[in-house]
Amino acid sequence: MATTLFESRREQMFPKLTAEQIARLTPHGRKIRTTVGQVLSESGQGHRDMHVVLSGSLQTTLPGPQGETPITIAVPGDFTGEMSTLRGLGGFTRIRVVEAGEILAISESQLRTVVQTDSEIMEIFMRAFILRRMGLIATEQGGDVILVGSTNSSGTLRLVQFLTRNTYPFVLKDIDTDEDARACLARFNLRSGDLPVVVCRGEIVLKNPSNAEVAACLGMNPQFDASKVRDVVVIGAGPSGLAAAVYAASEGLDVLVIETVAPGGQAGSSSRIENYLGFPTGISGLALAGRALVQAQKFGAEVAIATSALRLSCDQLPFRIELSDGQTVRSRTVIIASGAEYRKLALDNLADYMGVGVYYAATAVERKLCGEDDVIVVGGGNSAGQASVYLSASGRKVHLIVRAGGLAASMSRYLIRRIEETPDITLHVNTEITALEGKGRLERVTWRTGPDGKPEVHDIRHVFLMTGAIPNTEWLQGCVALDEKGFVRTGPDLHVADSSPGADAEEDSGAADGWPLARPPLHLETTIPGIFAVGDVRCGSAKRVAAAVGEGSVCVQLIHRLLSE
């Protein structure tokens, strides 16, 4: 089972606790005598205890459709658990007593206390939990989650992306190439028209499910009290939203984060970010988002995945946010971090090829779909540059298409140099795609260079679109002021009436933004006091990961100031 990863980092995955460390843990747990064959925790069970072995031994296995896969034997000094243990979510493994003895059982709440107060043990646990989750994913056995579908299906790709970006182990059975996939269909009396299908817990069958249905079936989200009035509700778990959650939770605020798809936002789909402070060799967007999510939850922030904000009611306190699952949450302050999405090409049949030749992310999932085929990347920003470099690394030809006359105005210099020095990347300036063709999936692309250029038809089956940004602000429904492009106005960008003596309010058209207080708005504050906007959704933001993280952290300081008023 993923021998290279489990063996190469076994000491960090399964470290031994010293007698002194166990003594520090003892007040946080309860000692339990065990018997041979006793199952201490089951796959899919939420709010599981972490177990420290004092005597005897425990076996951890990964249940699956073909039976159990052994992972490890825990002996005195070892401990069980992975990321789902800290988050209180349904786990993937079964833990059974092999040799009778005694364990120290530590509950989810006490485990969180330990990682917040004991830095030495926190580092041991967090590293082990993260690596164990990576190991489970690397097995490609998926435990008790099976996705049956076609890699030529946009629905299948959506679910692959959803499970992958949420670091959830699963098995993909491709109906086009895998004989087991057909056997799986027969076993559950399914037809090809039911695809894609998710089988969770070995028995629940979801036909062409939404992301929310998959999240509910797999217990991805903890139950939270919707009647509570939070200190902060963060809408969006991109870099700015996650930074806000980390800082707010670490400073004792009650935080809930609402995320539509997966942590990371647009940055979460980046193959490698090389200009983010502290990561000289680069880090993938998925890894960065995963670490930030762990930090936020370590400090007690609650995160709801596959849930969208449908409407923000800002006419009274506490503010109310209506969610796509029918719940309404309330909060003293709100941070709008809903980000932006890439613009779509003005082509009538673009939707026909979404996920079957046209993609909005360049991760390992999409790169695998491309095989060794040539690809097109459309866009002149850093995301397009990172995608071009990443996709060309396997030796395939990459055509980078930009409407502008060059890259200097919109892309970092280090990426421009790398593109210039990569022979497998061809830059096409003053160029735009004019047509997409294919039956069932993309087969040909037509582009034109210059207004008078002759259309060129190319047999290319994969196009990555990373062109500009449209803010995700429809759900605000006029609650706060937006600029002409739909981005949220904040702080200095608000038109605030001059309330000084002698000022002529009628001459100040800026009063239309509706700032209601005598004090000026705080830097990231919207037209509604207590509602803030950070990251890509904000008017005038830098559209960089580091800037988004900075805004999210700074926003928490502003919230402290407001709550103390």
Side-chain angles (χ1 to χ4, degrees), residues 495-539:
H495 301 301
V496 180
D498 184 358
S499 59
S500 60
D504 188 344
E506 293 183 359
E507 293 181 2
D508 192 340
S509 61
D513 275 357
W515 178 251
L517 302 182
R519 71 163 174 84
L522 301 175
H523 177 59
L524 300 171
E525 201 167 17
T526 69
T527 42
I528 304 297
I531 298 181
F532 300 80
V534 296
D536 288 357
V537 76
R538 188 179 69 83
C539 169

Side-chain angles (χ1 to χ4, degrees), residues 39 67-68 114 173 239 243 294 312 331 342 352 386 465 496 559:
V39 175
E68 290 183 316
V114 170
K173 293 187 179 295
V294 169
L312 172 60
S331 182
Y342 291 119
D352 297 342
Q386 291 161 352
L465 299 182
V496 180
I559 286 175

